[in-house]
Amino acid sequence: MASDPESSRQRLNQLLAKAGNGSCADCGAADPEWASYTLGVFVCHSCSGLHRNIAQISKVKSLLLDPWSSSELEFMDSVGNYAAKAKYEQLVPAFYYCPTYKDCMLLRDQWIRAKYERKEFLNVDRQEPYSAGYREGFLWKRGRDNGQYLSRKFILSEREGVLKYFNKNDAREPKAIMKINSLNATFQPSKIGTPHGLQITYLKDNSTRNIFVYHEDGKEMVDWFNAIRAARFHYLQVAFPGSPNSELLPKLTRNYVKEGYMEKTGPKHTEGFKKRWFSMDDRRLMYFKDPLDAYARGEVFIGSKENEYTVLAGLPPNVQGYHWTFGITIVTPDRKFLFACETEEEQKDWIAAFQTVINRPMLPQEYAVEAYFKHKP
């Protein structure tokens, strides 16, 4: 029986005030306005849409617009976000990526399905696809020269410490060997143009290489992503024995600090500015002719303020050849790098991104990277 709207509104407000219920049970967004009355969790509008994908398990209602029965309210009271988390997330592996409201839809959809539909975190046997230390399968990989996506066999081997792919199914030698110690993976749906698009980067001769892959099956793609994270986690545990998980987990995979178009000029500042795609990956600022290029045209190391790196708004006087008017100057111990942004907002965002990196003291291993960049031909 439906309770009267006013009393159910009051009851829902009381439930939302309980610890854990004030943010989405799945992505952590504040002030959820929806709930699954079959699972007993409060969720945001975005995650409520993903719960509709598993309608046989989760049925959702608006807290503001839909009528609520007394029995539904009692059930919500008896469960709530904390209790559901304790139940459905009890065996989440340390390396597993738990998405937030800032992450792409694919990660959030598969997180919700993994928890409630597949119940992966109630039984470790269900985590085999990403926790076994070995994974092989076929992914669609973008061709370096023609941009065509072709099916390629991939093998991830924790024991060998590599991810490799083969151009032909029966090939003995892999086309590329990517060492786990420098591997990164980040979902790039809008850049790649598919909701399941994953960008994998690795270092070859200390330069960044990109490959772009996807799979039609969302679970397959997220399993690959978490398998890479698992392999990275176990590598870092060996490389840095005694380091707490709190230090290792942020290093498993990373999103770019910022990406987008800017104009740039050469070292003498006399040639015309050219529009390039820039990716800020930790302390490496890379630029590409096209966002989906396999190799960067160039890379710049961004150190810390203690080591004489600074970022300034604007360009030096007498510089010519740029179309975009919002300049940025990065000062390094050796030279100045000049960029121009199309809008003032982009300029502010890039400066904030550079400032974040410059304000962070350099780690011992980053000095070796800086030295490599200084002696690069």
Side-chain angles (χ1 to χ4, degrees), residues 71 74 91 129 144 149 176 184 229 235 301 339 341-342 366:
S71 60
E74 276 174 38
L91 296 174
R144 191 182 86 189
Y149 282 87
N184 185 40
R229 286 178 61 86
Y235 157 75
F301 182 84
F339 309 110
C341 300
E342 188 174 17
E366 291 173 335

Side-chain angles (χ1 to χ4, degrees), residues 9-51:
R9 172 70 50 82
Q10 287 177 352
R11 189 90 174 89
L12 285 166
N13 284 339
Q14 288 169 352
L15 294 178
L16 282 169
K18 285 175 73 171
N21 293 347
S23 55
C24 174
D26 299 316
C27 75
D31 305 318
E33 295 187 345
W34 291 76
S36 167
Y37 60 91
T38 51
L39 293 171
V41 293
F42 293 89
V43 296
C44 68
H45 176 70
S46 185
C47 286
S48 75
L50 299 174
H51 275 255

Side-chain angles (χ1 to χ4, degrees), residues 12-171:
L12 285 166
N13 284 339
Q14 288 169 352
L15 294 178
L16 282 169
K18 285 175 73 171
N21 293 347
S23 55
C24 174
D26 299 316
C27 75
D31 305 318
E33 295 187 345
W34 291 76
S36 167
Y37 60 91
T38 51
L39 293 171
V41 293
F42 293 89
V43 296
C44 68
H45 176 70
S46 185
C47 286
S48 75
L50 299 174
H51 275 255
R52 287 196 179 93
N53 295 338
I54 51 168
Q56 70 283 11
I57 294 161
S58 182
K59 300 199 180 324
V60 293
K61 276 187 177 186
S62 165
L63 302 180
L64 303 171
L65 305 173
D66 291 323
W68 285 79
S69 70
S70 307
S71 60
E72 286 166 350
L73 291 168
E74 276 174 38
F75 179 67
M76 294 301 299
D77 191 15
S78 71
V79 185
N81 289 4
Y82 270 179
K85 196 177 187 72
K87 176 182 176 181
Y88 292 105
E89 297 181 29
Q90 57 185 284
L91 296 174
V92 179
F95 62 78
Y96 193 95
Y97 188 81
C98 306
T100 72
Y101 61 91
K102 294 178 180 175
D103 284 300
C104 66
M105 279 297 185
L106 174 66
L107 277 168
R108 289 158 61 187
D109 179 55
Q110 288 301 316
W111 168 237
I112 286 167
R113 288 177 181 275
K115 284 203 287 184
Y116 308 119
E117 185 180 48
R118 300 192 292 266
K119 297 187 171 63
E120 282 177 24
F121 312 123
L122 303 183
N123 184 341
V124 289
D125 292 344
R126 292 177 186 157
Q127 298 167 16
E128 184 79 9
Y130 43 83
S131 64
Y134 181 89
R135 182 175 174 83
E136 69 173 76
F138 289 87
L139 297 172
W140 293 99
K141 180 197 167 288
R142 187 178 192 273
R144 191 182 86 189
D145 300 320
N146 58 12
Q148 220 179 341
Y149 282 87
L150 297 166
S151 180
R152 294 288 181 252
K153 182 181 179 181
F154 281 77
I155 294 178
L156 176 72
S157 170
E158 209 174 277
R159 187 177 54 78
E160 292 178 52
V162 297
L163 171 68
K164 49 193 175 182
Y165 76 87
F166 299 80
N167 262 0
K168 293 188 172 66
N169 298 350
D170 55 356

